[in-house]
Amino acid sequence: MIDRLFETITARKAVDPASSYSAKLLAQGRNRISQKLGEEAIEAVIAATAGDTKALVGESADLLYHLCLLWVDAGITPAMVADELARREAMSGLAEKASRKE
Amino acid sequence: MIDRLFETITARKAVDPASSYSAKLLAQGRNRISQKLGEEAIEAVIAATAGDTKALVGESADLLYHLCLLWVDAGITPAMVADELARREAMSGLAEKASRKE
Amino acid sequence: MIDRLFETITARKAVDPASSYSAKLLAQGRNRISQKLGEEAIEAVIAATAGDTKALVGESADLLYHLCLLWVDAGITPAMVADELARREAMSGLAEKASRKE
Amino acid sequence: MIDRLFETITARKAVDPASSYSAKLLAQGRNRISQKLGEEAIEAVIAATAGDTKALVGESADLLYHLCLLWVDAGITPAMVADELARREAMSGLAEKASRKE
C-alpha cells in the first residue's frame, strides 16, 4: 500500500495547492510536513494507549500518508526504505542465530 | 514492504523474548510499544528538519517497524489500514473533482 | 511563572467554555489536553532544531500552558512537581559527590 | 521552581560532562536535547492518558528539566518565557472581556 500511496502523492505534487491537500502541504515545506507527521504520531499513541482499535487504524493511515509526503519532499523512494528494512532484517536474523548458539 | 514487515513481526511473536527484540517489545505491552513509536516519530521529525536524508531513511524504517509492532499487538492487519487509505483516496478524489467544477 | 499560570487556569476552570480556551479544553477532557501537549512539544522540537529562538520562546509558553492544563485536569499541583524536582536534585547532587570521590 | 531549575542547570554547564547529566546533554548539542524533550513529552502523554497521576508528576518533572536544558542551550531565560505568557494572558483577558460583551 505504501507504493500506491507514494505514487498518488507524487502525482498530486504538480496539482494546484488550492485543490489538493497533498499539494498544499508540499508547498508549505519540510518543517510543516514534519510537524503534521509528529502530530499524527501523537494521535496514534493516544489511540493505542486508549485501546481504541478503530481510531488506531485511522491514525495509522494518517501517519503513513504524512510519512510518504515527507519522502516525496525529501526525495526518498519507498525502495530506499525497503532496502534499509531488508538490511536490518538480515542483521537481526544473524543476531538471532548467534544468540541461539550461546 | 509493509506486508513483509508485518509477517516477519507476526512470526517473531511466538519466539523467546530473550532472542528477539520484537518478541521482547510485544511482551512489554501496548504502552511501551506506543512510547517507542512516539520516540521514532520524534527522531524522524528531527532528521527531516535537519535535512539529513540518510538519517530520515533510517528513522522511517524504525517508524514503520514500530507501527507494525503496534498493529500486531492491537490485532490490526495491513489490509485494514489499506482499506482505510483507499476509502480516503476515493473521498479525496471526489473532493478534488468537486473543487475543479467550482 | 508556573504558579501564576496554574492559578489563572484553575480560575478559568469554572468559566463558560464558550468564552475561555482553558475552560473549553478542560471540558474536552484528558485525551484532548494530552494531544495538545504532544503537539506543542513537537512544535518546540522543530523550533529548537531550526534554531528559531523567538519561535522557541513562544512554543515554550504554549508547552507550559498545556502542561498546567493537564495538571489542573489530573489534580496535580505545582508543589507536587517541585517536590519531585527537589528529590531528583538531591539524588543527583549525591551522585555527583560520589563521582568526584572516585 | 522553573527559576531554581534553570539556575541549577546553568551552574552545571561548566562542569565535567562525565560527572553531570546536564553537562553531558549540553555537550551533545541542540538536536539531542530536543530529542529528549520530545521523548519526555511522549511519556507525559502516555502517563496522562493512562490516568497514572504519580507517573505524570515524574514525567512533568522530566519535561520541565529538559525544557530548561533547551533554554540554557538556546540562550533563552525564564524571564523571556514569563513575558510571553504575560503577553498572552493580557490578550486572552481582552478576548474574554470582548466575548462577555457580545
Side-chain angles (χ1 to χ4, degrees), chain A residues 5-56:
Chain A
L5 190 55
F6 183 82
E7 280 164 32
T8 305
I9 295 169
T10 302
R12 298 264 173 82
K13 209 180 165 177
V15 165
D16 177 9
S19 71
S20 158
Y21 177 75
S22 302
K24 195 181 118 192
L25 221 56
L26 285 167
Q28 290 177 331
R30 182 72 55 89
N31 286 10
R32 178 67 179 144
I33 304 170
S34 303
Q35 183 191 338
K36 291 298 299 179
L37 178 77
E39 290 180 6
E40 298 303 342
I42 298 287
E43 292 181 42
V45 165
I46 292 173
T49 54
D52 187 339
T53 305
K54 193 173 150 43
L56 183 52

Side-chain angles (χ1 to χ4, degrees), chain D residues 48-92:
Chain D
T49 54
D52 186 340
T53 305
K54 193 172 149 45
L56 183 52
V57 169
E59 300 303 344
S60 295
D62 283 337
L63 190 62
L64 290 178
Y65 168 77
H66 288 92
L67 183 63
C68 282
L69 258 181
L70 202 51
W71 292 353
V72 169
D73 184 66
I76 292 172
T77 61
M80 289 162 74
V81 180
D83 284 353
E84 180 63 22
L85 280 167
R87 202 180 63 79
R88 287 167 188 220
E89 197 189 332
M91 280 173 57
S92 144

Side-chain angles (χ1 to χ4, degrees), chain A residues 33-82:
Chain A
I33 304 170
S34 303
Q35 183 191 338
K36 291 298 299 179
L37 178 77
E39 290 180 6
E40 298 303 342
I42 298 287
E43 292 181 42
V45 165
I46 292 173
T49 54
D52 187 339
T53 305
K54 193 173 150 43
L56 183 52
V57 169
E59 301 303 345
S60 295
D62 283 338
L63 190 62
L64 289 179
Y65 168 77
H66 287 92
L67 183 63
C68 281
L69 258 179
L70 202 52
W71 292 353
V72 169
D73 184 67
I76 292 171
T77 61
M80 289 162 75
V81 180

Side-chain angles (χ1 to χ4, degrees), chain C residues 69-90:
Chain C
L69 258 180
L70 202 52
W71 292 353
V72 169
D73 184 67
I76 292 171
T77 61
M80 289 163 74
V81 180
D83 284 354
E84 180 63 22
L85 281 166
R87 202 180 63 80
R88 287 167 189 221
E89 197 189 332

